[in-house]
């Protein structure tokens, strides 16, 4: 007989691990299932760092999720005595805020500033001269830049954050089934039956947080809206640390040209190297296949097209590279949608490259939803409505 639970969480990455932690706090009988043993490097939540910011330029509806995520992360830090959130500051730099999109959003700087004012988030708006004065590591400014600076922004440690959520979730009544692959879901009158390659489980509610694998596991209306894209991360050594000192080394997104391809993001030095990357949504990949390792040519292109002449004190040869996957929707917004045939199964995905800063709050909100508990966060804006689908395919 299948072992029964109130809620099963399938996929224990950024959202799934937080959902399991929230279910544990609520006293639910829960199981977390993952085909790997998180934290791992096979999905979207690895690579040492993820940018976090409080006032969100992708839309006003995101800011409450970012603020709540920070609170959950700080709760985990206090419980475990570790550092997961580094508030080194965050800068968004652009030359044409209304004409150049980031994460599918035009007017990103203005939206971030508006969200900051609405939520009381300390911030500054900088021109090119002030940007150059405060952050001398940024070279090659054209002179027409504007920047949004948030001192309370910074980065999260993704692997450690996932591990912390799973540590804190462990209690009697909460089980983990790691290195366990989901084979099928059956919607029955007594619950949702999950057959895996190791055992069979049954739950009243299922939260599917499998990221890129939702393109294989979700029903067509959801799966066909999602695409998976290989991303490459590059680490370049710092050969002049004089302008990368603590207090003047924020995380950043730099839109340095007048089209959406001319942008990159980066982090302050860790272990003597700075991590920088771009995003690409043109070439799709299969999550079930091993991705090609980054090539030397990819790192050279990263350097010459983005970093050269813009980052002072950084050497041009990459000392490390990695790949990860972004799962995206056509409008670069999250998708949080029930199975069209049975609302007991909820699909949560399409972080579209900007999800980690919201993940703990999303996980908590969907856990509350599964148990019928109140949450102060509005998930409806991420629903897969007919109107939203129509806009995608118009």
């Amino acid at each position: 007989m299948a072992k029964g639970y109130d809620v099963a969480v399938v996929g224990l990455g950024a959202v799934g691990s937080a959902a399991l932690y929230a279910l544990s706090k609520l006293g639910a009988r829960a199981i977390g299932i993952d085909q790997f043993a998180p934290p791992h490097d096979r999905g979207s939540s690895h690579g040492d760092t993820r940018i976090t910011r409080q006032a969100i330029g992708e839309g006003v509806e995101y800011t409450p999720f970012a603020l709540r995520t920070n609170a959950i992360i700080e709760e985990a830090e206090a419980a475990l005595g570790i550092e997961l959130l580094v508030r080194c500051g965050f800068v968004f730099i652009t030359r044409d805020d209304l004409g150049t999109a980031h994460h599918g959003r035009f007017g990103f700087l203005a939206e971030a500033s508006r969200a900051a004012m609405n939520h009381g988030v300390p911030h500054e708006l900088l021109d090119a001269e002030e940007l150059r004065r405060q952050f001398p590591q940024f070279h090659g400014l054209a002179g027409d830049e504007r920047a949004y600076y948030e001192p309370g922004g910074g980065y999260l440690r993704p692997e450690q954050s996932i591990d912390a959520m799973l540590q804190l979730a462990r209690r009697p009544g909460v089980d983990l089934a790691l290195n366990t692959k989901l084979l099928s879901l059956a919607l029955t009158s007594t619950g949702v039956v999950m057959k895996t390659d190791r055992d069979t489980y049954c739950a009243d509610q299922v939260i599917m947080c499998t990221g890129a694998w939702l393109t294989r596991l979700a029903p067509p209306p959801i799966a066909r809206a999602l695409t998976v894209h290989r991303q490459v991360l590059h680490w370049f050594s710092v050969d002049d640390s004089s302008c990368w000192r603590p207090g003047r080394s924020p995380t950043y997104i730099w839109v340095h040209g007048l089209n959406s391809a001319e942008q990159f993001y980066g982090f302050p030095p860790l272990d003597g190297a700075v991590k920088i990357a771009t995003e690409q949504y043109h070439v799709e990949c299969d999550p079930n296949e091993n991705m090609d390792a980054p090539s030397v040519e990819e790192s050279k292109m990263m350097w010459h097209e983005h970093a050269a002449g813009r980052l002072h004190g950084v050497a041009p040869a990459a000392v490390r590279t990695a790949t990860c996957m972004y799962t995206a929707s056509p409008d670069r917004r999250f998708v949080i949608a029930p199975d069209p045939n049975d609302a007991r199964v909820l699909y949560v995905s399409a972080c579209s490259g900007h999800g980690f800063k919201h993940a703990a709050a999303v996980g908590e909100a969907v856990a509350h939803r599964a148990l019928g508990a109140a949450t102060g966060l509005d998930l409806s804006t991420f629903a897969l409505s007919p109107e939203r689908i129509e806009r995608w395919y118009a």
Side-chain angles (χ1 to χ4, degrees):
M1 179 180 294
K3 188 173 181 180
Y5 298 91
D6 299 321
V7 186
V9 180
V10 183
L12 297 174
V15 174
S17 62
L20 195 67
Y21 173 41
L23 290 166
S24 177
K25 288 197 291 182
L26 291 167
R29 292 177 298 119
I31 184 170
I33 303 171
D34 198 287
Q35 64 178 323
F36 305 117
H40 57 75
D41 62 358
R42 295 289 302 277
S44 306
S45 300
H46 58 276
D48 299 342
T49 54
R50 287 291 185 276
I51 289 177
T52 188
R53 32 197 167 88
Q54 299 168 97
I56 306 302
E58 285 86 352
V60 295
E61 64 275 21
Y62 289 100
T63 295
F65 288 88
L67 296 175
R68 179 58 190 154
T69 287
N70 285 354
I72 295 169
I73 292 294
E74 288 168 350
E75 175 183 286
E77 288 179 319
L80 297 174
I82 58 176
E83 183 183 56
L84 303 173
L85 168 59
V86 178
R87 294 185 185 271
C88 59
F90 164 76
V91 178
F92 176 78
I93 308 168
T94 185
R95 295 181 61 194
D96 182 4
D97 192 42
L98 294 178
T100 308
H102 180 70
H103 287 151
R105 180 81 186 200
F106 293 93
F108 187 96
L109 184 149
E111 187 75 4
S113 179
R114 183 161 48 249
M117 289 186 287
N118 289 344
H119 291 273
V121 176
H123 68 288
E124 297 179 52
L125 298 180
L126 312 177
D127 59 18
E129 182 178 350
E130 184 61 19
L131 181 66
R132 190 181 292 113
R133 188 190 70 79
Q134 289 200 38
F135 305 109
Q137 67 268 46
F138 298 147
H139 276 201
L141 297 172
D144 58 355
E145 287 85 0
R146 297 172 61 215
Y148 167 89
Y149 172 49
E150 186 181 289
Y155 63 87
L156 291 161
R157 302 179 187 274
E159 293 95 339
Q160 292 94 325
S161 295
I162 291 170
D163 185 62
M165 296 295 110
L166 294 178
Q167 284 189 56
L168 293 171
R170 290 185 173 92
R171 67 159 182 82
V174 176
D175 295 330
L176 290 177
L178 305 182
N179 296 308
T180 300
K181 187 173 183 179
L182 178 68
L183 301 178
S184 65
L185 285 177
L187 305 169
T188 74
S189 60
T190 57
V192 182
V193 178
M194 294 154 288
K195 183 179 180 182
T196 75
D197 59 357
R198 290 176 176 266
D199 209 337
T200 300
Y201 308 98
C202 184
D204 297 333
Q205 301 278 327
V206 175
I207 303 171
M208 295 288 289
C209 304
T210 57
W213 282 270
L214 280 190
T215 59
R216 303 295 186 269
L217 297 172
I222 298 171
R224 77 184 185 99
L226 309 180
T227 53
V228 181
H229 306 268
R230 172 183 178 267
Q231 310 294 338
V232 181
L233 314 173
H234 311 258
W235 284 260
F236 295 89
S237 63
V238 173
D239 57 11
D240 181 356
S241 60
S242 62
C243 59
W244 292 95
R245 295 192 299 272
R248 65 192 313 175
S249 299
T251 59
Y252 58 90
I253 299 169
W254 190 344
V255 185
H256 55 80
L258 299 178
N259 70 69
S260 297
E262 296 176 294
Q263 56 185 278
F264 69 111
Y265 66 92
F267 299 82
L270 286 176
D271 299 323
V274 294
K275 171 185 160 186
I276 60 176
T278 57
E279 297 177 351
Q280 72 84 20
Y281 297 98
H282 304 294
V283 180
E284 296 183 32
C285 67
D286 186 337
N288 289 317
E289 296 181 1
N290 289 328
M291 288 186 289
D292 293 336
S295 67
V296 172
E297 288 305 312
E298 285 178 296
S299 292
K300 287 181 177 179
M301 185 178 300
M302 177 73 227
W303 174 261
H304 289 294
E305 293 187 0
H306 301 286
R310 295 191 178 93
L311 298 181
H312 176 71
V314 178
V319 296
R320 177 187 167 197
T321 57
T323 59
C324 70
M325 293 182 289
Y326 282 0
T327 307
S329 67
D331 58 10
R332 301 295 182 263
R333 294 171 55 78
F334 303 166
V335 172
I336 301 175
D339 189 296
N341 299 312
D342 197 314
R344 291 176 296 176
V345 181
L346 183 70
Y347 294 92
V348 185
S349 188
C351 287
S352 299
H354 59 106
F356 204 95
K357 69 187 70 62
H358 310 294
V362 171
E364 181 183 70
V366 296
H368 281 240
R369 179 190 183 278
L371 294 175
T375 176
L377 298 173
D378 182 10
L379 296 172
S380 65
T381 185
F382 307 121
L384 201 61
S385 66
E387 295 78 16
R388 187 179 179 193
I389 295 173
E390 184 177 353
R391 288 195 299 272
W392 289 351
Y393 301 112

